[in-house]
Amino acid sequence: MPNFFDYPRTIRINVSYCQNIANSVVTSNDCGATIDCRGTARFVSCLHRYSGSKLNGSTCSKTTSSEECSRKLQERQQACSTKKSGLLPDSKFCHLYYDCSDPAKSKICQYPKLFSTKTNICRDFKKVKCGSRIEFKSYCQYYPPQHGFRGPPCELYHPNCEGYPDGANPHTEKTGAGSPWYMLCKGERFIKEGICPNARYGFNKKTCQGAGDISGVTMGDNLDTIVLSVLCLISHDRVVSMPTMSVNLVEPSHVDNQKDAGRYFLI
C-alpha cells in the first residue's frame, strides 16, 4: 500500500489553462507533472518526491512502464549531448527545467521566476517569454499542497493574484466583513500579504478604512524589496504621521512544510 508521500500533489487550476488542451492532458518531459483537463481542470505533481519520481497511475514512483516517458527521457539525454549549457527547459511548463547531470528529473524555479530559453536559467518572470510553454502565476501551482494535508489551505498564506491589478487588493482568502487583510500583487503574482495599520478598520478595495490610503504602494523591478508609503495612522482621535518604510523581504528555499514553505519574512 502506498505511503503518504507516494501520492501526487493536486490543485485545481483555472479553466483558462485548458483552452488549447480541452479534454486532454499535458505532461512534463520527465512525466513527473501533468495538467489534466478531463473534467475539473487540475495540476498533478510528483516533483516533491525523490529524484526522477514519475506519475504512475494514481501514485508517484521511480519507474513507469510508459513508452512515452521512455521516449521523452531519450530526447532529454540527446539534448544534453548537443547543448553547452547544463540546464535546459521543460518543453511544456515554463517554471520547470532540468539539469543534464540528472536529466530524468525536472526542477522547479523559485517562485515567481520562470525559466528562460535564452539564458538557460531561472529569471524574473517579466524578462522571460514562455511562448507555447504553460506559464503558472500562483505559488500554489508551483508547489501544490501535500496529499491529505489537514492544515490551512495553501492559498491562505499564498493567495492567487491572477486577474488582479498591481498593488494592494483585498485578500482572496482572509475575507469577511471588515477584514483588515490585503495582498500585494505584481504582474498577477503574489508578493506578500499585509494587514491594515489599525486592525479595527477593514480593507476596502485599495484603502484601509480609517487608516489612510495605501493605493500608492510602489514596487520596483526587484521583487525582493517593496516600498510602502503609509500616509497616516489614526489612533483614536489623533492623526500620527508615519514616514515611508522600506520593507525587505526574504524568500526562503522551498520546503515541504505547507505553512512555512516559501513565505516572506520581514527583516
Side-chain angles (χ1 to χ4, degrees):
M1 181 177 180
N3 64 41
F4 178 85
F5 294 102
D6 285 334
Y7 288 99
R9 297 183 177 187
T10 303
I11 187 171
R12 291 187 179 184
I13 57 176
N14 193 289
V15 294
S16 62
Y17 289 104
C18 294
Q19 185 173 359
N20 299 319
I21 52 174
N23 299 317
S24 185
V25 298
V26 170
T27 304
S28 63
N29 292 151
D30 71 338
C31 293
T34 186
I35 283 183
D36 190 341
C37 294
R38 298 170 297 184
T40 302
R42 300 176 301 151
F43 178 62
V44 185
S45 174
C46 286
L47 300 183
H48 62 286
R49 199 62 171 111
Y50 35 65
S51 177
S53 182
K54 308 176 190 308
L55 283 165
N56 191 8
S58 59
T59 62
C60 301
S61 66
K62 287 186 177 181
T63 60
T64 176
S65 58
S66 169
E67 294 183 1
E68 180 184 5
C69 292
S70 298
R71 176 182 58 80
K72 288 182 176 182
L73 177 57
Q74 291 176 353
E75 291 176 351
R76 280 190 169 194
Q77 292 170 334
Q78 183 178 3
C80 285
S81 67
T82 58
K83 298 288 186 180
K84 294 181 179 180
S85 172
L87 304 181
L88 292 173
D90 185 273
S91 66
K92 301 299 183 182
F93 294 89
C94 202
H95 70 299
L96 299 181
Y97 67 99
Y98 63 97
D99 192 326
C100 284
S101 64
D102 185 12
K105 181 187 178 184
S106 288
K107 298 187 176 183
I108 306 172
C109 289
Q110 187 182 40
Y111 180 80
K113 294 181 179 180
L114 298 169
F115 194 83
S116 169
T117 55
K118 289 186 177 180
T119 61
N120 283 337
I121 60 173
C122 294
R123 302 191 66 191
D124 187 322
F125 68 87
K126 300 188 301 300
K127 300 178 180 179
V128 176
K129 294 187 180 298
C130 292
S132 61
R133 292 179 295 159
I134 295 170
E135 179 182 349
F136 280 160
K137 298 177 181 179
S138 166
Y139 174 93
C140 299
Q141 293 165 346
Y142 277 57
Y143 312 115
Q146 293 176 351
H147 171 81
F149 181 73
R150 296 182 179 179
C154 177
E155 291 83 359
L156 186 67
Y157 298 102
H158 310 282
N160 191 347
C161 279
E162 287 186 270
Y164 287 87
D166 288 357
N169 293 278
H171 200 291
T172 59
E173 302 300 319
K174 298 177 181 179
T175 59
S179 172
W181 288 94
Y182 60 88
M183 61 183 186
L184 294 181
C185 303
K186 185 173 184 180
E188 296 187 272
R189 272 74 173 178
F190 170 66
I191 305 304
K192 72 178 292 286
E193 64 182 11
I195 189 168
C196 292
N198 192 331
R200 293 183 305 168
Y201 299 93
F203 181 85
N204 181 24
K205 295 182 179 180
K206 295 286 184 181
T207 305
C208 284
Q209 299 298 305
D213 183 5
I214 63 169
S215 61
V217 171
T218 59
M219 289 170 281
D221 292 335
N222 184 349
L223 290 180
D224 292 335
T225 301
I226 296 178
V227 178
L228 302 180
S229 298
V230 182
L231 302 183
C232 64
L233 172 64
I234 294 182
S235 176
H236 302 292
D237 297 325
R238 188 163 55 95
V239 177
V240 181
S241 297
M242 295 182 65
T244 298
M245 299 184 298
S246 178
V247 181
N248 293 319
L249 305 177
V250 175
E251 181 182 8
S253 300
H254 171 62
V255 293
D256 279 337
N257 187 304
Q258 177 66 38
K259 181 176 180 179
D260 296 330
R263 295 195 66 185
Y264 293 82
F265 296 91
L266 300 182
I267 60 172

